[in-house]
Amino acid sequence: MQTHADIVKNAGTADEVARARNVSIHTVRSWIQRDSIPAEHWAGFALDGKATLQELALAAASKISPTKPASAAAA
């Protein structure tokens, strides 16, 4: 499974991705560093054929850790 950082890196150079997404190169580098592409940019990556929406969602979901149930926290 690709991570968001992998998807950005495979989409081209940071400069190319920045131009394609109409954001700064610093923004693209922060996506790689945080391993997180904001959801409002997912459609652009999908339309450009860089990743499917499912791949983007799976990569985002894999970073979410379940929280402890309230009853476990009170114990």
Side-chain angles (χ1 to χ4, degrees):
M1 178 182 82
Q2 289 194 93
T3 65
H4 278 188
D6 293 334
I7 292 167
V8 174
K9 290 176 187 176
N10 292 334
T13 66
D15 190 53
E16 291 168 340
V17 174
R19 276 185 273 140
R21 301 280 62 83
N22 197 30
V23 297
S24 76
I25 193 169
H26 303 291
T27 298
V28 173
R29 288 180 180 150
S30 73
W31 293 348
I32 294 168
Q33 184 179 15
R34 290 189 326 251
D35 189 20
S36 180
I37 301 169
E40 62 265 23
H41 293 281
W42 291 10
F45 279 91
L47 288 171
D48 290 347
K50 304 304 182 187
T52 65
L53 291 175
Q54 182 179 11
E55 287 174 313
L56 290 155
L58 286 171
S62 71
K63 294 177 63 176
I64 300 171
S65 62
T67 58
K68 291 183 180 179
S71 60

